[in-house]
């Protein structure tokens, strides 16, 4: 009887090169340069580019018109997989419920601000409208990727889009933005969307609470253009939101008002401060579970099945730096591959991590575009061709 050798593949599982190539484009270019059997699995950690990566792995893109962070309409997308279909390229779903992947940056991200930052008035409403559309479509599970948020509204806009009424002392609805929450007196959920039967998972690696020196306003507000005075306004507004939610709906987010507001329960939960406090609203109103972004998405896409027969995994992102070590996609891929005993190398635009730091993260070697082209502008402009050359170098070194 004739025996046939099993041809092992290389699993190419990179994140995007921000501003240059999508994760799918990176995977395609690396595969082209390797010239060996490959399986391409573009990945993301829940932030900007998550929908693109998931669509490249077999989900369908659904585009709808929603409210952008300024209140103007924008066309935004989420990823959709009907019930009963495989979770990813592996073809063997472990969980085939109807699933939507909603990326906050799509509807409510900084890139949706055409005229600059609007720290006090930007809203997360469009993200809630994407969720509502997925619920109407029949989603049984919604994965909410947080990252790149334009707003610091505690997820109030998202909750309003789903039917929550945030009312002032006169019984009027609040307008857009975090600053409006200072006037909040009551929350009416009688018209809230029926979410029974829908599981919500927040894919995020941010562990900040909603309030305090490590909270949404203090840490992330300045990144969205907030001045020191704006930060104080937003902190007071988010504190008010948490307090009213507690008083009117029994949420475990009680706030003690003293010189330094402190939050317990939902407001103090790790991740409540993610995306300008959208994490808080996800916990409080959607009863979501917060999971590490890259780990959850790798499970969703079937990474575990694909890595079993791989002889090498190639991951990467635009910049391998200290942020990479804080739960970004390449480290998540490396840790998942290590469980299967498969070696990992990375490609990147540039790197500032030492060999020792890479090894600690489970990455045996890193190949940077700047190894081939020292001019950063040319690296950005010619990233695809340079990646193919890097992949050929990997093949010569490793395969």
């Amino acid at each position: 009887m004739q025996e046939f050798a099993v041809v092992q593949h290389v699993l190419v599982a990179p994140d995007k090169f921000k501003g240059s190539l999508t994760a799918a484009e990176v995977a395609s270019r690396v595969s082209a340069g390797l010239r060996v059997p490959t399986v391409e699995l573009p990945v993301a950690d829940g932030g900007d580019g998550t929908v693109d990566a998931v669509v490249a792995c077999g989900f369908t893109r659904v585009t709808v018109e929603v409210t952008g962070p300024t209140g103007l309409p924008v066309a935004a997308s989420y990823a959709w997989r009907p019930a009963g279909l495989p979770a990813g390229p592996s073809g063997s779903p472990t969980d085939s419920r109807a699933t939507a992947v909603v990326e906050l940056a799509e509807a409510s991200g900084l890139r949706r601000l055409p005229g600059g930052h609007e720290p006090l008035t930007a809203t997360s409403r469009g993200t809630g409208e994407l969720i509502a559309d997925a619920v109407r479509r029949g989603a049984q599970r919604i994965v909410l990727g947080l990252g790149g948020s334009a707003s610091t509204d505690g997820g109030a806009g998202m909750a309003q889009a789903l039917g929550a009424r945030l009312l002032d002392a006169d019984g009027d609805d609040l307008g857009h933005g975090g600053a409006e929450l200072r006037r909040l007196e009551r929350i009416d959920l009688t018209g809230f969307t029926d979410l029974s039967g829908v599981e919500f998972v927040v894919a995020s690696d941010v562990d900040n609470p909603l309030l305090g020196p490590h909270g949404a306003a203090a840490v992330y507000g300045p990144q969205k253009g907030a001045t020191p005075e704006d930060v104080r306004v937003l902190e007071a507004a988010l504190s008010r939101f948490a307090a009213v939610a507690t008083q009117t709906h029994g949420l475990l987010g009680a706030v003690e008002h003293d010189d330094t507001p402190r939050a317990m329960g939902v407001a103090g939960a790790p991740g409540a401060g993610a995306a300008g406090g959208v994490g808080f609203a996800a916990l409080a109103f959607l009863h979501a579970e917060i999971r590490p972004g890259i780990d959850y998405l790798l499970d969703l896409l079937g990474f575990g099945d694909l890595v079993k027969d791989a002889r090498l995994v190639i991951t990467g992102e635009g910049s391998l730096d200290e942020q990479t070590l804080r739960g970004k996609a390449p480290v998540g891929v490396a840790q998942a591959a290590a469980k299967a005993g498969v070696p990992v190398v990375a490609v990147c635009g540039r790197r500032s991590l030492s060999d020792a730091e890479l090894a600690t993260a489970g990455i045996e070697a890193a190949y940077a575009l700047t190894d081939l082209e020292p001019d950063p502008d040319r690296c950005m402009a010619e990233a695809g061709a340079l990646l193919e050359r890097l992949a050929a170098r990997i093949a010569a070194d490793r395969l």
Side-chain angles (χ1 to χ4, degrees), residues 315 320-322 324-328 330-339 344-346 351 353-366:
T315 188
L320 288 178
D321 52 31
E322 288 188 0
T324 303
L325 302 178
R326 299 176 184 174
K328 291 292 189 178
V331 172
V333 169
Q335 291 174 344
K339 295 176 182 177
V344 177
V345 300
R351 60 173 279 197
L353 297 177
S354 67
D355 290 342
E357 288 172 317
L358 289 170
T360 300
I363 298 172
E364 293 189 357

Side-chain angles (χ1 to χ4, degrees), residues 379-391:
C379 282
M380 291 282 287
E382 303 172 16
L386 291 170
L387 266 176
E388 291 191 27
R389 289 172 56 190
L390 275 187

